[in-house]
Amino acid sequence: MADLVQSTDNSHLPVAIIHRAPNFKFSSSWATDIFTPIEPSDPLYPTHRPSARVIIVMALTPLKSEHLDLYPSVECVIGTTAGVDHIDLAECRRRNIRVTSAGDAFSEDGADYAVGLLIDVLRRFSAADRYVRAGLWPVKGDYPLGSKLGGKRVGIIGLGSIGTLVAKRLEPFGCTIAYSSRNRKSQLPYVFYSNVLDLATNSDTLIVCCSLTDKTHHIINSDVLTALGNRGIIVNIGRGGLVDEKELVKFLVEGKLGGAGLDVYENEPEVPKELFTMDNVVLSPHRAILTPEAFEGVREVMVGNLKAFFSNKPLLSEVNLSD
Amino acid sequence: MADLVQSTDNSHLPVAIIHRAPNFKFSSSWATDIFTPIEPSDPLYPTHRPSARVIIVMALTPLKSEHLDLYPSVECVIGTTAGVDHIDLAECRRRNIRVTSAGDAFSEDGADYAVGLLIDVLRRFSAADRYVRAGLWPVKGDYPLGSKLGGKRVGIIGLGSIGTLVAKRLEPFGCTIAYSSRNRKSQLPYVFYSNVLDLATNSDTLIVCCSLTDKTHHIINSDVLTALGNRGIIVNIGRGGLVDEKELVKFLVEGKLGGAGLDVYENEPEVPKELFTMDNVVLSPHRAILTPEAFEGVREVMVGNLKAFFSNKPLLSEVNLSD
């Protein structure tokens, strides 16, 4: 009986521009009684474009300088992802535009995924599953053993909200946790290394979960891979650009690295084909931080940030643009 | 310079019969200065067979009544596995033969594997990895989302050494833990259900890690699967016989179960072929409790039990045969 439901007139509410690539949906259930979503296809868009104070960036849709040029009154860009490197942060800083991220909404899923990828690479789930499905178990016999998680020295690169949750999850497995991060977190009981090379030298596995910036681009390079050693494992749930992919592939092909669990790549959705035949590698199509359950959390953070912005209160998950 | 190493004469040490299928190796490095291992192929076997007091059972080699008949003086069977259902326990009880297991040596690996399988099924690692390797990501687009581990109600069947470690590992993920077990463990903070049907009704996933006995055979039957519901997930790292495999396959084929992570099967190494095409199922070839690291732990428990037996001290990991 949808025709009996009274439609709500939200035209008195402040406007937020929805910025999205066509393949990223904006669910109308995300709109609430605190703002009116306006897309470029909306008849009211020309009216609102010059005065809109807020842009909501859906998923990883790039927001560049030329997009910002369209919105001379914009004061705040609401991101809906954990990392916001698809938003031109330097340009936002220059224009005095504040930026928010999805905050911690995806952190638990991201941490779960990092731990899962690490177990998968060590204990060889995906490879063993292929072995069984190919009917090889009765023919070729026992599948080679993996390696134990307990006792491994895990180095976490970026001890933010995801990295901290990765550490907490790995503690009961008996792993030794160390990290490198912009700042030492003295309240946490893990060993801090001020540079990634030292962390790699003292780790059996590196979990990459920092944000991608000019400073962290290719933070995993051939020196770090060499320091990690030929039994070392790289897990990347951050961004493809954090790892020098060409070097990573070279190390894996040459047997100079133990394995890798990758959720992100430098040229997604392209994945280096050399990895397709490797059993010590788990390849995931950029799914780490996404579950249906997490979306509800993202909506809450987005709405919370919008409420805070329109009522001049501190934003819930503002990105520090001063770096 | 191996020929310069003086060989050790262990003939004065007590004998332990090595009982193994040809494909299970007995590493001579496992023998120590406390016992002499004797296999049926050994020239001294006929001399020692009637008087041997100990049998060491390698891996899952079946030890049946007819084997025990060969050793009229045997007092103790040393198992090298966590579960000992391949040893005829009723017959051992009848003959007053004590039995030991590998105790906790494999427990951490088993618990790691159970957690890994659960994350794999929920977040679809193995299936997504196949998707990437098949080159489908650039062609078909984003892989379907999995489901979040946090908030899931996990029911553990058998809260022994493995089950307890599974619970401890899942706590930081934000899971709610309940269990059914022979006895309530009042020192642990998890909800106890005296029967598996109630546990299934109140769980999103069941992790099966109890031992296989007459009482636990097919403990996962169609009633339990129905109670778990069509989004429920079964993880089995115990024994194939704990699950009515025919029913499990039927439920999965008919979409009446959410998914399964299986390390064990009723007719290993045969795996039901209906499962080979399912993306909500992870198939592992009985690898849960095995890593090279665990073997050293097993050796320690075995040697500890032998030392204790020969010096009339309490065994380290004696199996309770009174049930």
Side-chain angles (χ1 to χ4, degrees):
Chain A
M1 309 291 257
D3 53 342
L4 293 184
V5 177
Q6 198 181 350
S7 80
T8 313
D9 178 8
N10 284 342
S11 59
H12 63 289
L13 295 175
V15 158
I17 300 291
I18 305 299
H19 179 71
R20 65 175 178 98
N23 55 332
F24 293 125
K25 285 182 195 133
F26 178 77
S27 164
S28 58
S29 70
W30 277 31
T32 65
D33 53 3
I34 64 150
F35 75 102
T36 305
I38 297 284
E39 296 210 55
S41 59
D42 194 301
L44 292 174
Y45 175 77
T47 313
H48 288 297
R49 187 190 54 74
S51 58
R53 298 170 62 208
V54 174
I55 303 171
I56 299 174
V57 178
M58 296 309 296
L60 294 169
T61 313
L63 185 78
K64 298 180 179 174
S65 183
E66 62 255 36
H67 300 121
L68 292 170
D69 289 342
L70 295 170
Y71 308 106
S73 306
V74 74
E75 297 166 46
C76 184
V77 169
I78 305 280
T80 56
T81 52
V84 287
D85 51 283
H86 55 297
I87 296 171
D88 187 336
L89 299 179
E91 196 56 36
C92 288
R93 180 168 54 223
R94 206 179 62 75
R95 298 180 190 216
N96 253 332
I97 298 170
R98 299 159 78 189
V99 177
T100 71
S101 70
D104 295 349
F106 290 124
S107 302
E108 292 186 340
D109 280 326
D112 295 354
Y113 215 81
V115 173
L117 279 179
L118 178 56
I119 304 179
D120 194 332
V121 174
L122 282 172
R123 303 299 303 274
R124 318 187 68 167
F125 286 153
S126 295
D129 178 277
R130 282 196 299 277
Y131 186 80
V132 172
R133 285 174 198 249
L136 294 175
W137 190 13
V139 180
K140 290 197 169 184
D142 286 345
Y143 191 75
L145 293 182
S147 181
K148 183 172 180 163
L149 179 53
K152 290 282 185 296
R153 299 167 304 161
V154 177
I156 299 176
I157 299 178
L159 203 67
S161 61
I162 293 180
T164 307
L165 293 175
V166 169
K168 288 209 173 123
R169 280 153 172 70
L170 285 176
E171 280 189 60
F173 288 91
C175 297
T176 308
I177 313 285
Y179 70 102
S180 71
S181 206
R182 265 180 296 196
N183 306 302
R184 182 193 296 262
K185 322 261 175 176
S186 48
Q187 74 279 19
L188 292 172
Y190 315 121
V191 176
F192 171 69
Y193 289 94
S194 58
N195 77 74
V196 172
L197 205 56
D198 290 341
L199 181 69
T201 305
N202 293 286
S203 296
D204 300 307
T205 184
L206 290 177
I207 296 184
V208 187
C209 47
C210 58
S211 52
L212 177 62
T213 66
D214 290 346
K215 285 178 194 162
T216 60
H217 181 256
H218 284 195
I219 196 168
I220 303 293
N221 56 26
S222 69
D223 290 343
V224 171
L225 294 172
T226 302
L228 189 59
N230 60 10
R231 300 190 63 177
I233 289 170
I234 294 280
V235 171
N236 187 8
I237 60 150
R239 285 285 183 273
L242 295 166
V243 175
D244 186 333
E245 196 167 277
K246 218 170 144 184
E247 285 298 327
L248 177 73
V249 169
K250 192 163 164 261
F251 271 71
L252 285 166
V253 166
E254 294 175 1
K256 292 191 203 157
L257 192 69
L262 305 174
D263 185 51
V264 286
Y265 311 86
E266 289 208 73
N267 301 302
E268 296 173 13
E270 296 303 328
V271 177
K273 299 223 171 354
E274 297 92 327
L275 305 179
F276 285 13
T277 53
M278 292 187 185
D279 280 350
N280 55 340
V281 172
V282 179
L283 302 171
S284 162
H286 203 148
R287 301 276 84 181
I289 52 150
L290 287 171
T291 62
E293 292 87 344
F295 278 126
E296 179 52 29
V298 176
R299 197 193 67 83
E300 279 173 25
V301 174
M302 181 193 74
V303 168
N305 276 311
L306 285 165
K307 268 189 187 163
F309 175 78
F310 290 128
S311 56
N312 294 314
K313 289 187 178 152
L315 300 173
L316 300 193
S317 52
E318 184 162 3
V319 176
N320 182 355
L321 298 182
S322 65
D323 289 357
Chain B
M1 309 292 255
D3 53 341
L4 293 185
V5 176
Q6 197 180 351
S7 80
T8 313
D9 178 7
N10 284 342
S11 59
H12 63 290
L13 295 174
V15 158
I17 300 290
I18 305 299
H19 179 72
R20 63 174 180 99
N23 54 331
F24 293 125
K25 286 184 194 130
F26 178 77
S27 164
S28 58
S29 69
W30 278 29
T32 65
D33 53 1
I34 64 150
F35 75 102
T36 305
I38 297 284
E39 297 210 54
S41 59
D42 194 301
L44 292 173
Y45 175 78
T47 313
H48 288 298
R49 187 189 55 73
S51 58
R53 296 171 64 207
V54 174
I55 303 172
I56 298 174
V57 179
M58 294 311 296
L60 294 169
T61 313
L63 185 78
K64 298 179 181 173
S65 183
E66 64 256 35
H67 300 121
L68 292 170
D69 289 343
L70 295 170
Y71 307 107
S73 306
V74 74
E75 296 166 48
C76 184
V77 169
I78 305 280
T80 56
T81 52
V84 286
D85 51 285
H86 53 297
I87 296 171
D88 187 336
L89 300 180
E91 196 56 34
C92 288
R93 180 168 53 226
R94 206 180 62 73
R95 299 182 190 215
N96 253 332
I97 298 170
R98 299 159 79 190
V99 177
T100 71
S101 71
D104 294 351
F106 290 126
S107 301
E108 292 186 342
D109 279 327
D112 295 355
Y113 215 82
V115 172
L117 279 178
L118 178 56
I119 303 180
D120 195 333
V121 175
L122 281 172
R123 302 299 302 275
R124 316 185 70 167
F125 287 152
S126 295
D129 177 276
R130 282 196 299 277
Y131 186 80
V132 172
R133 284 173 198 249
L136 294 174
W137 190 13
V139 180
K140 290 197 167 182
D142 286 344
Y143 192 75
L145 294 182
S147 182
K148 183 172 181 163
L149 179 53
K152 289 283 184 296
R153 299 167 303 162
V154 177
I156 299 176
I157 299 177
L159 203 67
S161 62
I162 294 180
T164 307
L165 293 175
V166 169
K168 289 210 172 123
R169 280 153 172 70
L170 286 176
E171 279 189 60
F173 288 91
C175 297
T176 309
I177 313 285
Y179 70 103
S180 70
S181 207
R182 266 178 295 195
N183 307 302
R184 181 193 296 262
K185 322 262 175 176
S186 49
Q187 75 280 19
L188 293 171
Y190 315 121
V191 176
F192 171 70
Y193 289 93
S194 58
N195 77 74
V196 172
L197 205 57
D198 290 342
L199 181 70
T201 305
N202 293 287
S203 295
D204 300 308
T205 184
L206 290 178
I207 296 184
V208 187
C209 46
C210 58
S211 52
L212 176 62
T213 65
D214 291 346
K215 285 177 190 160
T216 60
H217 182 256
H218 283 194
I219 195 168
I220 304 293
N221 55 27
S222 69
D223 290 343
V224 171
L225 294 171
T226 302
L228 189 59
N230 60 11
R231 300 191 62 178
I233 289 169
I234 293 280
V235 171
N236 187 8
I237 60 151
R239 285 285 183 272
L242 295 165
V243 174
D244 185 335
E245 195 167 278
K246 218 171 147 183
E247 285 296 327
L248 177 74
V249 169
K250 192 164 166 259
F251 270 71
L252 285 165
V253 167
E254 295 176 359
K256 291 189 200 160
L257 192 69
L262 305 174
D263 185 50
V264 284
Y265 310 87
E266 289 207 76
N267 302 302
E268 295 174 13
E270 297 301 328
V271 177
K273 299 226 171 348
E274 297 93 326
L275 305 179
F276 284 13
T277 54
M278 292 186 184
D279 280 349
N280 55 340
V281 172
V282 179
L283 302 171
S284 162
H286 203 146
R287 301 277 84 180
I289 52 150
L290 286 171
T291 63
E293 292 87 343
F295 278 125
E296 179 53 28
V298 175
R299 197 193 66 83
E300 279 172 26
V301 173
M302 182 192 74
V303 169
N305 276 310
L306 285 165
K307 269 189 187 163
F309 175 77
F310 290 129
S311 56
N312 293 314
K313 290 188 179 151
L315 300 174
L316 300 192
S317 52
E318 183 163 6
V319 176
N320 182 354
L321 298 181
S322 64
D323 289 359

